[in-house]
Amino acid sequence: MPGKIPTSPSVFGVQILTGVIAVATFGATTAVAQPPSAAETDGSRGRRAAAQYKVSATPLILTEAAPPVSRHEAERFRQTQRAYIKSPFVLHAALAQPDVASLSVFRDSTDKIGWLREHLSVTFPGDGDVMEIAVVDAKAPKEDLLMLANAVSRAYYGEVVFREQSERVLPLQILKDSLERLSRQVRDKSETLYQLERDAGLDAAAIARRQWSTDEAWLLRQRMEELQTLRFDEKLRRLLSVDERQEGSSADVAEEKWAAIDELFADEEKRLKAQLNEALATSATKAPSPNTDLDLRRQELESLKQTEKSLAHRIQLLQIEAKSPNRIQAIGSKGSASATAEFYNK
């Protein structure tokens, strides 16, 4: 239940992860191995009290297109919910609620968990998205059936649905804490670097000139690499393009054409190399002398800033996702509440 969840982040996280892992492990095995109860195999759905939930086969994602879900995956999700509901984890929580274990239906029973599981039905009427949790018995008092169905519904919602909702928020808090620590680190390193630059006699203009020269040299190197790629592509195209010569054109004309192309590539490469040399020379004469320690500190700080930016973006996406509707929603109840059972005589 929401009131039973601890507020301490560390205790909260451990209990969620422990509970979810335990139930998920049970669900993964029970969803396949556990046979249906007598209540589920009874063709006449019988006298029962039932609570209903809407179970979405497709994950609800707001920040990107939801991936397609196969029929097998949808059925597996249904079977997992059925395994959760029939697990000792949930049934114990249902029987632990006030006055449930002392109901008259358990008067002659030595195995209350066994009785409840045998009379518990989890079905999807019409093979749709509505899941019905029902306690079925032909002789049990109506009040007992209603109390049991409501107890199972509350236990399922509190121990599974609500905890999974809380688990979705846990990574968000972890990332926020990480971003806060990273931002402090960026701030401290920025202040340290600024002081070291002042101590080295560097002003903002000198640092900007040095950064511009570095960026300019990098861009020129990138352009030279692209040019080499283009030259390779052109040579490859020549090897593959043999039709022009086979059609009877002059070999001399073709060779003259390829020579002109080669000359253009060579001139462009020569021009780029000259610009690169000029940029490097400008960096050496007009910019302050290289300082390996300061350069490494700048690179580290820039890397941390990029990580900080990426982390902040990820947090924004998770904040949106945290508000997305849950795949499992109670029918007939409002807000964060479990579904309320109704009595059916047929």
Side-chain angles (χ1 to χ4, degrees):
M1 300 288 183
K4 296 168 65 179
I5 302 298
T7 56
S8 170
S10 58
V11 176
F12 175 74
V14 170
Q15 290 197 0
I16 285 179
L17 294 177
T18 303
V20 170
I21 289 172
V23 177
T25 303
F26 178 86
T29 56
T30 311
V32 176
Q34 181 173 298
S37 65
E40 289 169 333
T41 55
D42 184 6
S44 65
R45 302 169 54 139
R47 189 170 174 275
R48 71 197 189 283
Q52 293 182 331
Y53 287 86
K54 183 179 183 300
V55 177
S56 176
T58 304
L60 302 176
I61 301 175
L62 300 179
T63 55
E64 58 186 37
V69 175
S70 67
R71 182 173 181 82
H72 171 74
E73 291 172 320
E75 181 59 26
R76 183 181 179 83
F77 185 72
R78 290 180 178 181
Q79 293 295 337
T80 300
Q81 302 314 304
R82 181 179 284 114
Y84 278 145
I85 295 166
K86 292 197 165 192
S87 68
F89 182 64
V90 168
L91 298 185
H92 275 297
L95 291 174
Q97 295 175 35
D99 302 325
V100 174
S102 59
L103 291 173
S104 61
V105 293
F106 297 130
R107 188 173 298 135
D108 300 324
S109 175
T110 58
D111 181 11
K112 296 177 182 179
I113 289 285
W115 188 97
L116 182 55
R117 182 182 291 114
E118 183 64 22
H119 290 79
L120 184 61
S121 167
V122 183
T123 58
F124 291 83
D127 196 30
D129 289 339
V130 175
M131 177 177 69
E132 183 179 271
I133 303 172
V135 180
V136 183
D137 189 83
K139 300 179 180 179
K142 171 183 175 181
E143 294 75 14
D144 287 13
L145 293 178
L146 283 170
M147 184 172 286
L148 283 171
N150 279 318
V152 173
S153 176
R154 284 193 295 267
Y156 167 64
Y157 187 87
E159 303 297 336
V160 178
V161 179
F162 181 78
R163 291 202 176 199
E164 288 187 350
Q165 288 176 332
S166 302
E167 187 188 28
R168 288 165 56 186
V169 182
L170 187 58
L172 181 59
Q173 186 58 50
I174 293 173
L175 288 179
K176 283 184 176 180
D177 293 341
S178 299
L179 179 59
E180 184 178 348
R181 290 193 299 270
L182 182 60
S183 296
R184 286 198 301 266
Q185 189 177 5
V186 167
R187 184 174 62 251
D188 293 343
K189 287 184 177 295
S190 296
E191 292 174 356
T192 301
L193 178 61
Y194 175 72
Q195 189 59 48
L196 289 173
E197 288 174 341
R198 286 179 62 91
D199 293 344
L202 304 180
D203 58 15
I207 295 170
R209 285 197 303 271
R210 181 178 181 83
Q211 187 61 46
W212 180 88
S213 299
T214 302
D215 293 344
E216 181 71 9
W218 182 84
L219 290 172
L220 288 169
R221 288 193 180 96
Q222 286 291 106
R223 176 56 185 157
M224 288 175 66
E225 291 180 3
E226 292 174 2
L227 186 66
Q228 291 172 356
T229 301
L230 289 172
R231 174 173 285 183
F232 174 81
D233 291 341
E234 179 63 22
K235 288 181 178 179
L236 182 61
R237 190 178 71 82
R238 295 180 194 180
L239 291 174
L240 298 177
S241 179
V242 296
D243 293 341
E244 185 176 350
R245 295 185 182 184
Q246 290 177 348
E247 289 175 358
S249 61
S250 169
D252 292 337
V253 172
E255 288 299 332
E256 184 178 345
K257 174 184 175 183
W258 302 135
I261 294 175
D262 285 338
E263 187 176 353
L264 287 175
F265 275 116
D267 288 344
E268 178 67 8
E269 187 173 24
K270 183 179 179 180
R271 186 183 67 81
L272 290 173
K273 285 182 178 180
Q275 281 187 283
L276 178 59
N277 290 332
E278 183 180 354
L280 294 176
T282 301
S283 175
T285 57
K286 295 185 179 181
S289 300
N291 186 315
T292 303
D293 178 62
L294 292 181
D295 287 343
L296 290 176
R297 287 176 180 270
R298 292 188 192 100
Q299 292 173 12
E300 180 188 16
L301 183 59
E302 185 61 30
S303 176
L304 289 175
K305 287 181 178 180
Q306 291 297 325
T307 303
E308 182 183 32
K309 183 179 179 181
S310 175
L311 195 55
H313 178 65
R314 177 62 179 159
I315 288 173
Q316 288 179 335
L317 294 180
L318 282 179
Q319 285 175 330
I320 296 173
E321 288 301 333
K323 297 178 182 179
S324 63
N326 199 285
R327 292 180 69 177
I328 301 169
Q329 301 178 43
I331 295 178
S333 298
K334 295 182 179 180
S336 299
S338 58
T340 303
E342 295 186 13
F343 180 76
Y344 301 91
N345 206 19
K346 292 184 180 178

